[in-house]
Amino acid sequence: MGCGAQGNQPDNKSQPEATEKPPQKKEKESQVVPEPAKASQSKSEKPAVEAAKEGKHQSKEISDEPKEEEGKQANIGNIKHTPQVSHKAPDSEIAFPALDSATISKIYGEAKDKAPQAGSFIRKLIDCQNVARTNPAFITKLLKSKLEKEEIKTSPIAKKLNEAIEFVAKQSPVGLLKYSYMLEGVAKGHCQDLGTFGMISHQGSDGKGLEDRLKEKGIAFGQAGESLLTGKNLPEETLISLVLDGTPTKEQRKNLYNPEFTYCGAHYEDHAKLKGITVINYSQKVQHYTQQL
């Protein structure tokens, strides 16, 4: 799956016993423990990229993300988009309500065949964000459920849950986020840059920020925002990390609930130092400069 691959290694099959040989000992089964979600900092930081530019960090080949299909690409300006292959994320213990067909059409209708396929990590992540924006009461209930499972009510995670519950309980519903493959393209470029050089920053290895990256792609965006999350997590867990938001200014949660943002695109990559990284880009509008002429 995309973020949050889980599973057990296959059992070692024991060999049949021979009459002359003592029985062989069965090897213990090992389990892969999933990496917990981590919240990234949302303020721009000055990355130390000199060593990275000298080639001391190399990117790892992604083994559990869907590879892009080779085939026809849709071009807008200098942005290329290749449709994603179908890639089902495993079921989560967190059951988010399903979106109806009319809502799905509003979110992905403009993208048409460029939209991520149903069940993919990106599709589920965008769906989860839209549930959070349009149904904050559900998120409040979900957070309270997680808090009840905490044995120590004064633990750091319990304090984060209480703070998030208080915020979301007062949150009014906001409009849907439409999927944008142009924003996904920008998120992908930055995500690959961070993964290759082992960075966590809103600035790329070239020192450029989100607005620079959008302008370079010829995108008129109005207001824009970006969230970074580390680790390999399920889409539902990634959404909870956005709501809890470990950053001092809570910019990631502000991005999620910003009523001015109407478009969203995201991408996941392996990371040279961490398990993985997800970049989510938001904007008030998405229009290529050539479409304004």
Side-chain angles (χ1 to χ4, degrees):
M1 62 151 283
C3 288
Q6 306 183 50
N8 296 328
Q9 295 179 349
D11 293 336
N12 294 323
K13 295 183 180 179
S14 58
Q15 298 293 332
E17 297 182 4
T19 57
E20 297 81 10
K21 295 182 181 179
Q24 296 179 353
K25 292 183 179 180
K26 189 174 181 180
E27 295 181 1
K28 292 184 178 180
E29 181 180 346
S30 62
Q31 294 183 344
V32 179
V33 180
E35 180 75 11
K38 300 178 182 178
S40 65
Q41 296 181 0
S42 61
K43 281 192 174 183
S44 298
E45 303 170 357
K46 292 184 179 180
V49 300
E50 288 77 7
K53 288 185 176 179
E54 294 175 3
K56 292 187 178 180
H57 294 296
Q58 295 181 348
S59 61
K60 296 186 292 183
E61 184 178 352
I62 301 172
S63 58
D64 60 352
E65 274 297 288
K67 294 183 179 180
E68 294 179 339
E69 291 181 335
E70 294 181 0
K72 187 176 180 180
Q73 293 182 327
N75 299 327
I76 292 187
N78 58 348
I79 298 175
K80 294 184 178 180
H81 177 83
T82 305
Q84 295 184 355
V85 298
S86 178
H87 180 68
K88 285 282 184 181
D91 292 334
S92 170
E93 294 181 358
I94 306 172
F96 273 64
L99 302 175
D100 58 44
S101 57
T103 301
I104 292 173
S105 179
K106 290 177 182 178
I107 298 171
Y108 302 102
E110 291 183 14
K112 298 180 180 178
D113 61 339
K114 304 177 188 67
Q117 294 191 12
S120 67
F121 172 78
I122 298 303
R123 177 86 167 235
K124 281 194 170 185
L125 178 56
I126 291 174
D127 287 352
C128 286
Q129 289 184 90
N130 277 311
V131 169
R133 284 169 65 94
T134 59
N135 191 359
F138 168 77
I139 301 300
T140 302
K141 181 180 178 181
L142 178 61
L143 294 175
K144 286 182 177 179
S145 173
K146 293 178 73 67
L147 180 60
E148 289 176 358
K149 297 177 182 178
E150 289 295 317
E151 295 182 0
I152 304 175
K153 302 305 180 183
T154 56
S155 67
I157 184 61
K159 290 180 180 179
K160 286 183 180 180
L161 285 166
N162 274 313
E163 187 276 333
I165 290 169
E166 184 179 353
F167 172 87
V168 180
K170 299 175 182 177
Q171 176 65 43
S172 299
V174 292
L176 292 170
L177 288 170
K178 297 179 182 179
Y179 166 78
S180 167
Y181 74 88
M182 287 192 280
L183 287 181
E184 181 183 344
V186 175
K188 180 179 180 179
H190 188 46
C191 201
Q192 290 176 334
D193 185 34
L194 297 179
T196 299
F197 293 113
M199 298 162 47
I200 306 175
S201 174
H202 293 288
Q203 290 183 326
S205 59
D206 56 2
K208 295 179 180 179
L210 173 61
E211 292 190 4
D212 298 315
R213 293 189 286 274
L214 292 169
K215 290 175 181 177
E216 283 181 350
K217 296 298 183 180
I219 299 173
F221 51 87
Q223 188 180 149
E226 181 175 80
S227 294
L228 310 176
L229 297 105
T230 60
K232 287 185 177 180
N233 304 296
L234 293 167
E236 295 85 354
E237 295 167 342
T238 301
L239 186 279
I240 295 300
S241 294
L242 285 173
V243 176
L244 294 179
D245 194 355
T247 66
T249 58
K250 306 299 181 186
E251 288 299 321
Q252 295 183 155
R253 190 165 64 195
K254 290 177 183 177
N255 286 340
L256 174 63
Y257 285 107
N258 189 337
E260 296 297 322
F261 292 152
T262 57
Y263 287 91
C264 178
H267 190 77
Y268 166 87
E269 286 283 345
D270 273 358
H271 196 276
K273 295 180 179 178
L274 306 167
K275 294 290 184 179
I277 188 163
T278 301
V279 175
I280 308 174
N281 285 343
Y282 306 88
S283 71
Q284 188 175 16
K285 62 179 181 178
V286 174
Q287 190 174 16
H288 198 269
Y289 289 142
T290 56
Q291 296 174 338
Q292 294 182 312
L293 300 179

